[in-house]
């Protein structure tokens, strides 16, 4: 019951309701609080002056004056008391529960507020002794901010909510101290049960001694003390009196005004012409309606509780998945750092090798140059000493050799000798740009396959031998989708096959078999793979074929009209036109009527492949199977072979029928509802289009969607029928 506590508190004082009254807007307020928020409006000659008087107000401007207009009886139950309510000239404040109240109240600690509220309730005069309300007093609902000018009755004009008052009393009693046993003589113990029939609270020893569960007492119902205290009436039910006639009890219910009324209201008041019903009957009726409404609300509350459980479970799963994902991310980053450290060690090893190589080369060159320089210096010193000698003959004996040695030594210091064999710079530049770019581009990629799409049944349909399917991703799915794969079976319980792959979420599949049941499903895919299939949708194509002539594939000399159902030609030569639907399974029948027949031409009727010749009579090639007929007789023709001449021709108004049976793999022709000749062709397999050939002397109208003629009994279905 703790959740109900907010329903039992006044929106002004924030405390439990005491003597609540019902405002016309159906909100409740304590009677003392209602007196505190009364505002005396100045007398106004017109609505315009009232608005003018409201100019310059301070904090009350949050409520538009146009929204302060009073409501008549026709809208929300407010009486028609006049024009607009002038805005007060004092700023508004908030009550403890955050609702604006007028006039402002000084905010105090909750304890002082409760004490002040009790003092106000104590000082409130009793009904019948209330001081008169000042003239033009106005009260504003603290919840919906609708305003009302009070009449001479003042607050007595508002009905008291005795039901709410009773609920508050029971709730406060349920929160009181623990109940004591009523039969203990000394030091009553805490009660553990209450008998609803005896209306007595018992402790366990007294219950066993005074209320044993046997005999007549066995049928008594024992409930916990708290439950018994709530249901127990502490005082007789007060009888509600009429707000118009205080001495009259409410005994009837006005259906039009939706409020209880007294007998005098029916005799003298405005309810005399209204429809009224017994108060008890309407009480039971409204209780039933409230119980029924509560049933639906209870279902929503149960769903909300289940939803909250689901959300709490999601919180736990999110936390678990977050920890797991964080650990995985740390492991991956640590692996990258470890790989970078290994590469760092390899690069440092290369730098060290280059460093050692350069040092070795330079040191070798230093050693070599040091030796040669020592030899050169020694030669120079020796030569200088030789030059100092004064013996010409001795000097000349060695001078030539010394000169050669000096020149040879000088030659040894030629080009390149005094040039460093190695530079001090390291010719290694680390190319870290791509790696840095890769690090900056390091991000999460889609690693999950898409969820199963949801077929939108309201948009899926079949028309003739076409099927349209629509689908979407689940609302909560955040996985990226790159495309979809739509699959259908062969309409005969066979395996599924792909009929569409792409990014669209709607697809129409044409050329299906008539009178066939197809199963369809769709799945999504992305870079990570292919997701699960959607639920399988079963679709039924049309039982009877409806089609027209196909203008796209017809010969240019063909002239179509009547929504492509009527055809003629502007050439004297035969030209071919086919239907826009193909057949490969089932039994199909269509007819053509001769609208115009001049100069005895011989049109041809039958079936053909999609690549039949369009500029010759139907049946001239091996792509067509036809019957051509004039005004006296007919022939069957295939691959320019004429067979089975039969008597009986056509004229204006004649009807030619074509019956194609894939179960027996035959085609039969009819003229004026009579079979023309024997079975025309047998062993038919594959895909065929209805077709005719004609010239300008003939005009023909096509009729489709016809039942099979009564004389014909279709063969059994071919379980291995081909698929178009």
């Amino acid at each position: 019951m703790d959740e109900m506590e907010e329903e039992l508190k006044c929106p002004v004082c924030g405390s439990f309701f005491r003597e609540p009254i019902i405002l016309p807007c159906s909100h409740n307020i304590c009677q003392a609080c209602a007196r505190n928020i009364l505002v005396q409006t100045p007398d106004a000659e017109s609505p315009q002056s009232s608005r003018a008087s409201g100019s310059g107000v301070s904090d009350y401007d949050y409520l538009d004056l146009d929204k302060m207009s009073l409501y008549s009886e026709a809208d929300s139950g407010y009486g028609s008391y006049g024009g607009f309510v002038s805005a007060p000239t004092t700023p508004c404040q908030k009550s403890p529960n955050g609702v604006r109240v007028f006039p402002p109240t000084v905010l105090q600690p909750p304890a002082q507020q409760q004490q002040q509220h009790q003092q106000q309730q104590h000082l409130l005069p009793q009904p019948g002794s209330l001081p008169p309300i000042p003239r033009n007093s106005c009260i504003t609902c603290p919840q919906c901010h609708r305003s009302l000018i009070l009449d001479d009755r003042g607050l007595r004009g508002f009905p008291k909510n005795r039901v709410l008052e009773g609920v508050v009393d029971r709730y406060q009693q349920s929160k009181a101290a623990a109940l004591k046993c009523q039969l203990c003589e000394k030091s009553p113990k805490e009660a553990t049960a209450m008998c609803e029939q005896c209306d007595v609270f018992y402790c366990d020893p007294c219950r066993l001694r005074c209320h044993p569960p046997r005999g007549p007492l066995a049928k008594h119902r024992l409930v916990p003390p708290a439950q018994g205290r709530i249901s127990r009436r502490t005082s007789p039910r007060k009888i509600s009196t009429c707000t118009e006639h205080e001495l009259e009890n409410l005994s009837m219910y006005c259906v039009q005004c939706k409020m209880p009324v007294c007998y005098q209201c029916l005799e003298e008041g405005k309810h005399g012409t209204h429809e009224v019903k017994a108060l008890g009957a309407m009480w039971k009726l409204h209780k039933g309606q409230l119980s029924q409404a509560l049933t639906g609300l209870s279902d929503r509350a149960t769903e909300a509780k289940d939803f909250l459980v689901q959300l709490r479970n999601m919180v736990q799963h999110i936390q678990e998945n977050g920890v797991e994902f964080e650990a995985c991310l740390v492991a991956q980053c640590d692996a990258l750092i470890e790989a970078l450290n290994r590469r760092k060690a390899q690069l440092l090893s290369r730098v060290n090798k280059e460093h050692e190589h350069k040092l070795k080369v330079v040191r070798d060159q230093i050693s070599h140059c040091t030796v040669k320089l020592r030899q050169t210096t020694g030669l120079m010193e020796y030569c200088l000493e030789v030059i100092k000698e004064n013996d010409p003959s001795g000097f000349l004996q060695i001078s030539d050799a010394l000169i050669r040695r000096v020149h040879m030594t000088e030659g040894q210091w030629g080009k390149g000798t005094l040039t460093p064999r190695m530079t001090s710079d390291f010719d290694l530049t680390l190319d870290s740009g791509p790696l840095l770019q890769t690090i900056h581009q390091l991000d999460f990629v889609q690693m999950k396959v898409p969820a199963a799409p949801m077929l939108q049944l309201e948009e899926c349909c079949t028309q003739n031998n076409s099927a349209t399917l629509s689908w979407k991703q689940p609302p909560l799915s955040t996985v990226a989708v790159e495309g979809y794969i739509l699959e259908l079976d062969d309409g005969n319980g066979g395996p599924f096959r792909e009929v569409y792959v792409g990014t669209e979420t709607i697809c129409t599949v044409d050329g299906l078999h008539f009178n066939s049941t197809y199963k369809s499903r769709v799945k999504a895919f992305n870079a990570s793979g292919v997701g699960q299939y959607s639920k399988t949708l079963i679709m039924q194509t049309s039982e009877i074929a409806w089609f027209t002539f196909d203008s796209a594939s017809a010969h240019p000399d063909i002239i179509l009209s009547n929504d492509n159902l009527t055809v003629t030609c502007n050439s004297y030569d035969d030209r071919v036109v086919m239907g826009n639907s193909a057949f490969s399974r089932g039994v199909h029948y269509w007819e053509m009527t001769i609208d115009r027949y001049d100069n005895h031409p011989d049109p041809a009727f039958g079936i053909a492949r999609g690549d039949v010749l369009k500029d010759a009579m139907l049946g001239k090639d091996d792509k067509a199977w036809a019957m051509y007929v004039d005004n006296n007789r007919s022939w069957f023709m295939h691959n320019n072979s004429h067979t089975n001449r039969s008597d009986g021709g056509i004229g204006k108004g004649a009807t030619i029928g074509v019956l194609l049976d894939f179960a027996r793999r035959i085609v039969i022709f009819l003229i004026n509802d009579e079979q023309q000749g024997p079975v025309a062709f047998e062993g038919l397999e594959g895909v065929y289009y209805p077709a005719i050939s004609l010239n300008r002397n003939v005009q023909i109208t096509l009729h489709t969607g016809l039942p099979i003629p009564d004389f014909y009994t279709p063969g059994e279905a071919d379980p291995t029928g081909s698929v178009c």
Side-chain angles (χ1 to χ4, degrees):
M1 296 181 64
D2 293 338
E3 293 84 355
M4 184 181 64
E5 185 169 322
E6 291 301 322
E7 294 285 338
L8 307 181
K9 290 185 177 181
C10 175
V12 176
C13 64
S15 302
F16 287 109
F17 283 106
R18 293 182 62 86
E19 297 186 2
I21 59 175
I22 307 174
L23 299 180
C25 56
S26 300
H27 293 131
N28 298 282
I29 188 174
C30 296
Q31 193 174 43
C33 296
R35 295 187 63 85
N36 288 338
I37 66 174
L38 286 177
V39 176
Q40 185 175 2
T41 61
D43 293 335
E45 297 179 358
S46 64
Q48 288 77 7
S49 64
S50 295
R51 285 181 182 168
S53 66
S55 61
V57 275
S58 55
D59 295 344
Y60 191 72
D61 292 342
Y62 88 98
L63 188 59
D64 190 353
L65 293 181
D66 289 339
K67 296 180 181 179
M68 291 285 292
S69 58
L70 297 183
Y71 297 83
S72 65
E73 296 179 15
D75 38 42
S76 59
Y78 282 82
S80 301
Y81 290 94
F84 295 93
V85 177
S86 174
T89 58
T90 56
C92 64
Q93 299 256 353
K94 288 187 178 180
S95 66
N97 62 346
V99 180
R100 294 176 183 262
V101 296
F102 305 96
T105 58
V106 179
L107 294 180
Q108 299 173 346
Q112 298 182 16
Q113 292 177 358
Q114 179 69 19
Q115 181 180 2
Q116 181 182 4
H117 178 71
Q118 293 176 355
Q119 294 174 356
Q120 293 169 351
Q121 295 290 350
H122 177 70
L123 296 176
L124 183 67
Q126 297 299 318
S129 62
L130 288 173
I133 299 296
R135 186 179 179 183
N136 292 333
S137 293
C138 170
I139 186 171
T140 300
C141 176
Q143 290 184 279
C144 65
H145 306 301
R146 293 182 179 180
S147 299
L148 172 70
I149 296 178
L150 274 63
D151 58 11
D152 294 338
R153 294 176 299 166
L155 296 178
R156 293 195 303 272
F158 299 118
K160 294 184 178 180
N161 195 339
R162 301 194 183 278
V163 174
L164 176 57
E165 189 175 7
V167 174
V168 170
D169 290 342
R170 292 196 300 271
Y171 181 80
Q172 288 179 323
Q173 292 173 16
S174 68
K175 294 296 183 178
L179 288 175
K180 301 296 183 178
C181 176
Q182 295 178 280
L183 298 182
C184 292
E185 296 180 356
K186 297 180 180 180
S187 301
K189 299 179 180 179
E190 183 177 345
T192 58
M194 181 251 187
C195 177
E196 291 186 338
Q197 286 71 28
C198 301
D199 197 16
V200 176
F201 290 93
Y202 298 94
C203 63
D204 285 337
C206 293
R207 176 178 56 83
L208 294 176
R209 184 179 68 254
C210 303
H211 200 287
R214 59 180 181 273
L217 298 179
K219 297 182 179 180
H220 287 198
R221 183 169 180 262
L222 298 177
V223 296
Q227 181 179 348
R229 178 168 48 190
I230 294 174
S231 61
R232 185 179 188 182
R233 288 190 174 273
T234 58
S235 61
R237 181 171 62 93
K238 299 179 182 179
I239 300 177
S240 300
T241 58
C242 180
T243 57
E244 298 280 348
H245 313 94
E246 296 181 358
L247 299 179
E248 296 290 338
N249 295 333
L250 298 174
S251 58
M252 303 296 289
Y253 182 83
C254 179
V255 178
Q256 182 173 344
C257 299
K258 297 182 178 180
M259 60 181 297
V261 295
C262 68
Y263 177 78
Q264 195 171 349
C265 289
L266 302 180
E267 294 293 333
E268 303 173 1
K270 61 182 180 180
H271 305 281
T273 58
H274 295 177
E275 179 186 359
V276 295
K277 292 187 177 181
L279 191 64
M282 294 303 297
W283 176 49
K284 293 181 179 179
L285 176 62
H286 281 213
K287 272 196 172 183
Q289 292 176 351
L290 180 58
S291 299
Q292 185 176 2
L294 284 176
T295 301
L297 184 59
S298 176
D299 294 340
R300 301 291 84 79
T302 301
E303 293 177 1
K305 290 180 181 178
D306 295 339
F307 180 65
L308 286 175
V309 172
Q310 179 183 355
L311 291 180
R312 292 189 180 99
N313 293 335
M314 286 183 62
V315 170
Q316 182 179 356
H317 293 161
I318 290 173
Q319 292 176 343
E320 295 175 354
N321 293 339
V323 172
E324 180 181 355
F325 190 79
E326 182 178 353
C328 180
L329 177 62
V330 171
Q332 289 178 314
C333 292
D334 289 344
L336 293 176
I337 295 173
E338 180 64 25
L340 185 61
N341 287 330
R342 288 196 300 269
R343 188 58 180 166
K344 173 184 174 182
Q346 295 174 358
L347 295 176
L348 287 175
S349 176
R350 288 183 55 185
V351 171
N352 290 333
K353 290 181 180 179
E354 183 70 13
H355 174 259
E356 295 296 332
H357 174 67
K358 285 180 176 292
L359 289 178
K360 182 178 182 302
V361 171
V362 173
R363 286 170 178 169
D364 290 345
Q365 190 173 13
I366 290 174
S367 176
H368 178 70
C369 289
T370 301
V371 172
K372 290 189 62 66
L373 180 60
R374 185 181 300 111
Q375 294 175 351
T376 301
T377 303
L379 178 61
M380 292 174 58
E381 292 178 354
Y382 173 69
C383 291
L384 290 176
E385 292 297 328
V386 171
I387 292 174
K388 292 178 181 180
E389 292 293 331
N390 295 323
D391 185 1
S393 59
F395 178 81
L396 292 176
Q397 287 179 347
I398 62 174
S399 61
D400 290 335
L402 288 177
I403 291 173
R404 285 195 302 271
R405 285 185 61 189
V406 169
H407 286 302
M408 184 177 64
T409 301
E410 182 182 4
Q412 292 177 352
W413 293 99
K415 292 182 179 181
T417 305
L418 300 178
T419 302
R421 299 177 185 175
M422 184 65 64
T423 63
S424 60
D425 297 331
F426 284 77
D427 297 332
L428 298 175
T429 302
L430 183 62
D431 186 11
S432 61
L435 179 58
L436 289 176
Q437 184 178 2
T438 303
I439 292 176
H440 290 311
Q441 293 177 348
L442 186 63
D443 202 350
F444 300 105
V445 296
Q446 189 57 254
M447 297 299 294
K448 293 183 179 180
V449 298
M454 298 172 57
L455 289 171
Q456 297 184 274
L457 301 181
E458 65 277 5
E459 298 183 12
C460 298
C461 62
T462 58
Q463 183 177 8
N464 213 10
N465 65 332
S466 299
T468 299
L469 294 102
S470 177
W471 59 88
K472 64 180 181 180
Q473 281 299 106
L476 299 180
S477 176
T478 58
V479 180
V481 175
E482 296 182 3
Y484 300 93
I485 301 175
L486 176 62
E487 296 181 356
L488 268 72
D489 68 351
D490 61 356
N492 195 32
F496 283 91
R497 55 180 180 169
E498 294 183 1
V499 296
Y500 171 75
V501 178
T503 59
E504 299 294 333
T505 57
I506 186 169
C507 178
T508 299
V509 183
D510 298 319
L512 302 177
H513 299 297
F514 288 93
N515 194 22
S516 298
T517 301
Y518 284 89
K519 295 179 181 179
S520 59
R521 62 188 185 185
V522 64
K523 58 184 177 181
F525 64 88
N526 58 17
S528 300
V530 181
Q532 297 293 324
Y533 284 105
S534 66
K535 293 183 179 180
T536 300
L537 177 63
I538 300 177
M539 300 179 297
Q540 175 72 38
T541 55
S542 176
E543 295 183 3
I544 301 176
W546 298 85
F547 60 91
T548 63
F549 290 118
D550 185 17
S551 59
S553 62
H555 191 277
D557 294 337
I558 291 294
I559 301 174
L560 295 171
S561 60
N562 188 24
D563 294 330
N564 292 346
L565 292 174
T566 300
V567 61
T568 186
C569 182
N570 59 10
S571 173
Y572 285 106
D573 297 324
D574 290 308
R575 299 291 185 252
V576 172
V577 59
M578 298 189 302
N580 61 358
S581 292
F583 306 122
S584 62
R585 182 187 299 163
V587 182
H588 308 280
Y589 178 72
W590 63 95
E591 291 181 347
M592 289 147 287
T593 56
I594 308 299
D595 301 331
R596 179 168 52 82
Y597 188 78
D598 302 329
N599 301 324
H600 311 296
D602 46 2
F605 310 87
I607 56 176
R609 303 288 191 187
D611 55 350
V612 65
L613 292 175
K614 304 295 195 315
D615 55 358
M617 178 183 287
L618 194 67
K620 286 287 187 179
D621 61 358
D622 62 348
K623 307 296 184 182
W625 293 257
M627 175 188 73
Y628 70 94
V629 57
D630 57 18
N631 61 326
N632 291 319
R633 52 195 177 276
S634 66
W635 292 264
F636 300 151
M637 183 167 62
H638 170 65
N639 199 16
N640 204 25
S641 174
H642 306 254
T643 60
N644 298 99
R645 189 180 83 169
S646 302
D647 294 333
I650 60 174
K652 181 179 180 181
T655 300
I656 294 88
V658 180
L659 194 153
L660 178 60
D661 187 349
F662 283 98
R664 295 179 177 175
R665 300 190 294 179
I666 62 173
V667 62
I668 298 174
F669 296 100
L670 294 85
I671 296 180
N672 296 327
D673 298 329
E674 297 290 337
Q675 182 172 339
Q676 183 74 359
V679 173
F681 302 101
E682 297 178 334
L684 299 175
E685 292 183 353
V687 181
Y688 300 91
Y689 291 85
I692 64 172
S693 64
L694 73 170
N695 61 19
R696 64 183 305 167
N697 293 317
V698 184
Q699 178 174 304
I700 295 173
T701 296
L702 175 66
H703 304 277
T704 63
L706 303 176
I708 300 173
D710 295 336
F711 76 88
Y712 184 77
T713 301
E716 296 182 356
D718 183 3
T720 61
S722 59
V723 179
C724 64

